[in-house]
Amino acid sequence: MLKASFLERQSHELEQYLEFIDSQISELEIFNENLGVLSKSEEKEILSSLGKGVFVKGNMNEKKLFVEVGSGVVLRKTPEETQETISLQIKRLKELRIQGLSQLDSTRSQLSDIIEEIEKDFSSKEESKKNF
């Protein structure tokens, strides 16, 4: 029973993990599409998000972006270069999703086996009680 409880908890955690990965993939795909629109746009004015639904109107003098690449390091990249980076992140997340789905399937299979075993034990005990 303890193992079944552990597997059920692990299954729930994997489901939450997969939901998180799906939301990250979705956000990155939308972001990647927006970068594509930006790279093709001839507009000079832009609304830039400051966060929490607050925007500022500005002029876009060039299309090079400031992209944080980790540890506070910022590089200048074109929208196309940034799209390549985002595409790689999406690919990695999809690989993690596949691994997570495999783990979830394995966990559910183990849980199913344990439940089946418990049901067999219960049925055999019930049969033993009827024979007495």
Side-chain angles (χ1 to χ4, degrees):
M1 284 301 257
L2 186 62
K3 187 172 183 179
S5 177
F6 170 77
L7 289 171
E8 188 174 1
R9 188 171 41 253
Q10 186 178 21
S11 175
H12 181 70
E13 289 172 2
L14 284 167
E15 287 169 356
Q16 288 179 325
Y17 172 73
L18 288 169
E19 285 176 17
F20 173 74
I21 287 178
D22 285 341
S23 72
Q24 292 297 302
I25 290 171
S26 180
E27 285 180 28
L28 286 172
E29 287 175 338
I30 291 168
F31 179 54
N32 214 14
E33 287 175 25
N34 290 338
L35 285 170
V37 169
L38 176 67
S39 68
K40 295 174 186 166
S41 175
E42 296 299 322
E43 292 290 322
K44 295 294 179 194
E45 286 188 343
I46 187 169
L47 283 178
S48 184
S49 174
L50 296 176
K52 299 291 184 183
V54 177
F55 297 85
V56 64
K57 190 174 186 178
N59 290 318
M60 192 167 56
N61 298 327
E62 61 178 302
K63 295 224 175 168
K64 283 238 178 182
L65 306 168
F66 294 91
V67 180
E68 185 177 344
V69 293
S71 300
V73 176
V74 177
L75 298 178
R76 300 286 311 260
K77 290 188 175 195
T78 65
E80 294 81 11
E81 292 169 331
T82 306
Q83 279 185 291
E84 289 175 22
T85 301
I86 299 302
S87 293
L88 285 173
Q89 290 175 353
I90 291 170
K91 181 181 176 190
R92 287 186 196 123
L93 283 171
K94 286 182 176 181
E95 290 168 358
L96 287 174
R97 186 178 187 282
I98 290 169
Q99 291 173 4
L101 285 171
S102 176
Q103 288 176 334
L104 181 60
D105 186 47
S106 174
T107 301
R108 286 180 175 166
S109 177
Q110 291 175 38
L111 184 58
S112 178
D113 291 346
I114 289 172
I115 291 171
E116 197 174 294
E117 189 177 312
I118 291 170
E119 287 174 346
K120 283 181 185 176
D121 287 347
F122 182 76
S123 293
S124 65
K125 286 180 183 178
E126 287 296 311
E127 283 295 317
S128 295
K129 285 182 183 178
K130 287 183 184 176
N131 290 336
F132 284 113

